[in-house]
Amino acid sequence: MKQIEVVASIIRKGGKIFATQRGYGDFKDWWEFPGGKMEAGETPEEALKREIREELSTEISVDEFLCTVEYDYPKFHLTMHCYLCSLLTDALHLNEHEAAKWLTHEELDSVKWLPADLEVIEKI
C-alpha cells in the first residue's frame, strides 16, 4: 500500500480552531486541518510553516506537538504529524481550499471531517 507522510496544523485563536474545506480530489468538500506533504530534508515544523504559507499566505508559530495519526484510507496509508499552532499575522487567504471556518470546541462536529482528522479532534 502506498505510504503518505504529512503534517497538519491545528491553528488556535481566541478559543477557536481553524478548519479548511477541501476543494479537490476524492474527499472534495470534506473538512481538514491545513497542512500537507513533507519534502525531502524538511523537519515537520519546516514543512508545516511552508505548507501554511503556500495554502493560506500567512505565517504561523509551531507551538507544540499534539499527536501522530496512522490511518488507512482505501488507496494509501497516511501518517499525519499534528501540531498546535498560532498565527503570527492576522491575514489569511484561501489559495487551495474551498472554504474555512473558525470553530469553537462545541462546533467541531458541525462539519464533515476527513476520517484521519476525526482522530485529532478526539485529542484536542
Side-chain angles (χ1 to χ4, degrees):
M1 182 179 277
K2 183 178 175 183
Q3 306 268 337
I4 297 178
E5 187 172 15
V6 300
V7 288
S9 174
I10 294 84
I11 301 172
R12 303 167 299 161
K13 179 181 175 182
K16 293 186 176 184
I17 293 172
F18 191 69
T20 53
Q21 187 177 28
R22 290 177 71 90
Y24 57 90
D26 291 343
F27 290 94
K28 182 183 183 323
D29 297 331
W30 291 52
W31 290 78
E32 65 185 348
F33 295 108
K37 293 178 185 161
M38 295 173 58
E39 294 180 357
E42 278 184 321
T43 66
E45 293 87 350
E46 290 167 341
L48 205 47
K49 289 178 181 182
R50 176 187 51 75
E51 283 288 343
I52 297 305
R53 270 194 305 275
E54 291 173 4
E55 292 183 8
L56 301 171
S57 298
T58 195
E59 300 293 326
I60 58 166
S61 165
V62 180
D63 301 326
E64 182 183 341
F65 173 76
L66 178 66
C67 64
T68 295
V69 172
E70 301 281 347
Y71 191 87
D72 287 323
Y73 282 97
K75 297 179 182 174
F76 61 91
H77 176 80
L78 179 75
T79 300
M80 182 169 64
H81 307 291
C82 306
Y83 291 82
L84 298 174
C85 300
S86 48
L87 293 173
L88 296 176
T89 60
D90 283 334
L92 283 169
H93 185 268
L94 298 181
N95 297 323
E96 295 181 17
H97 295 93
E98 201 169 290
K101 291 182 181 182
W102 287 98
L103 301 169
T104 65
H105 283 276
E106 296 77 31
E107 295 169 327
L108 285 174
D109 53 2
S110 69
V111 299
K112 185 177 183 180
W113 290 97
L114 286 167
D117 292 70
L118 280 173
E119 293 189 21
V120 179
I121 288 170
E122 293 173 14
K123 296 177 177 9
I124 296 175

